[in-house]
Amino acid sequence: MNRKIVILGTGGTIAGTAASASDHTGYTAAQVGISQLVEAVPGLAEGSCDLVTEQVAQIDSKDMSFAVWARLAARVSHFLAQPDVQGIVVTHGTDTLEETAWLLHALLHPGKPVVLTCAMRPATALAPDGPQNLLDAVAVAAHPGARGVLAVCAGVIHGAPDVQKVHTYRLDAFSSGDAGPVGYVEEGRLRLVRNWPEAPVHRASAAIKKVVEQQDGSGWPRVEIVMNYAGAGAGGVQALVAGGVQGLVVAATGNGTLHHELEAALLEAQAAGVRVIRATRCLEGRVLPRHGDAIADSQGLSPVKARVELMLQLMAGPG
Ligand code: SIN
């Protein structure tokens, strides 16, 4: 039985086209199909695994929706369960890649590699970065023992818990912050510097079922992000609570600090039954919890990942 690598396309700049080869910003994302992207990479089909492609979506990832997430989670889950599938690669836009990475990691905690990859330049660029990223992602997916959800960009392997887009233009647009990357892909070979990422094990399978079954994206809890900043007040939170929000993540300043007016509104929301989580808007570090904290911290997750996590927790329900 030949091992398979499944490559799922969702769009992004990696599948983008521009009118001019020198245009790296005025392009349209999500234009080229996944089979065409794969065919365009010399040597990709020559590895030890058979390649299978499937177009799951074709979107600019700024427009990521619950429906696409549900479809993607269902397809990843389906292929992970096939004994002959060694690993999965997902082509994705860079803009919300870290959110999808956390969703798949926390939801599916895969024992096989699920490797998200992307590009900062469109497929029509003079020197596109997508083909090398795709080749590297397949090398990671084919690596014996690889597991968990990973992101591969510019030769760097990041784990889903730590990966974050940190640059608007540079090809090496992602960082794992002070945790550091999982490793590097060099000439098709992996140099690992950390363990494969571990996923939280508390996830109730009911959450998986709900997400995967609701293919229209309905039924996801409403969780929003608010931010602390100079002069932050109570109005935004009060409007969200009045609008029926079920969860709030606050991107706090520094080590979780909040303007006293915003904090009072969040505590009021919490007392009214809204789940509230405190993350930090700092790019590196995490909110260090203290005994008796009135608002729980995000356990190191960035605000956008903490939001995904809170949605999953609300879907899973108590216990
Ligand atoms: C997107 O996120 O789909 C567009 C931007 C990118 O992929 O770099």
Side-chain angles (χ1 to χ4, degrees):
M1 180 170 65
N2 269 2
R3 293 179 314 149
K4 285 185 192 143
I5 303 279
V6 179
I7 308 181
L8 304 176
T10 71
T13 296
I14 191 167
T17 57
S20 149
S22 60
D23 193 348
H24 294 158
T25 56
Y27 59 86
T28 310
Q31 300 300 301
V32 185
I34 190 63
S35 326
Q36 211 181 322
L37 286 181
V38 167
E39 279 160 22
V41 184
L44 193 59
E46 286 157 23
S48 57
C49 297
D50 293 343
L51 301 181
V52 175
T53 60
E54 185 174 303
Q55 195 77 48
V56 173
Q58 189 62 301
I59 60 165
D60 186 319
S61 80
K62 72 178 173 56
D63 297 322
M64 183 51 74
S65 65
F66 297 146
V68 173
W69 268 354
R71 206 177 317 138
L72 180 61
R75 295 313 288 156
V76 170
S77 175
H78 165 81
F79 285 115
L80 283 173
Q82 313 292 315
D84 58 342
V85 169
Q86 149 70 27
I88 298 173
V89 170
V90 180
T91 59
H92 198 291
T94 59
D95 285 346
T96 59
L97 182 145
E98 67 216 56
E99 294 173 54
T100 301
W102 183 256
L103 175 84
L104 296 176
H105 194 65
L107 190 60
L108 306 174
H109 36 89
K112 296 177 183 178
V114 176
V115 188
L116 275 67
T117 196
C118 55
M120 290 297 285
R121 291 180 180 162
T124 48
L126 197 58
D129 53 329
Q132 184 66 54
N133 286 344
L134 193 48
L135 196 61
D136 290 348
V138 169
V140 175
H143 189 76
R147 64 188 154 81
V149 177
L150 304 146
V152 169
C153 183
V156 185
I157 310 166
H158 303 274
D162 303 304
V163 66
Q164 198 165 352
K165 186 172 178 182
V166 293
H167 205 279
T168 56
Y169 188 73
R170 219 167 55 195
L171 299 190
D172 189 6
F174 289 87
S175 167
S176 287
D178 51 12
V182 171
Y184 303 92
V185 188
E186 296 161 342
E187 301 291 314
R189 285 185 296 277
L190 273 58
R191 178 164 61 88
L192 299 172
V193 293
R194 280 179 62 196
N195 290 336
W196 301 107
E198 295 296 338
V201 288
H202 60 266
R203 185 79 51 234
S205 60
I208 300 173
K209 249 178 136 257
K210 264 191 204 165
V211 171
V212 169
E213 278 169 7
Q214 285 162 358
Q215 290 285 302
D216 60 352
S218 67
W220 288 60
R222 183 163 172 222
V223 177
E224 301 290 350
I225 299 172
V226 294
M227 188 184 266
N228 193 51
Y229 40 77
V237 168
Q238 286 166 347
L240 287 167
V241 174
V245 79
Q246 290 154 276
L248 287 168
V249 173
V250 58
T253 30
N255 185 24
T257 57
L258 297 169
H259 187 289
H260 63 90
E261 286 183 25
L262 177 61
E263 186 171 24
L266 289 167
L267 290 173
E268 212 173 289
Q270 196 168 249
V274 177
R275 286 280 303 279
V276 183
I277 298 290
R278 214 160 33 111
T280 178
R281 66 179 219 186
C282 290
L283 207 51
E284 299 203 2
R286 58 189 293 163
V287 176
L288 300 171
R290 287 172 64 88
H291 184 67
D293 277 344
I295 300 176
D297 69 279
S298 68
Q299 314 230 317
L301 292 177
S302 67
V304 291
K305 287 183 200 168
R307 173 177 175 263
V308 173
E309 177 64 22
L310 185 49
M311 285 192 289
L312 291 175
Q313 285 180 14
L314 287 167
M315 280 190 266

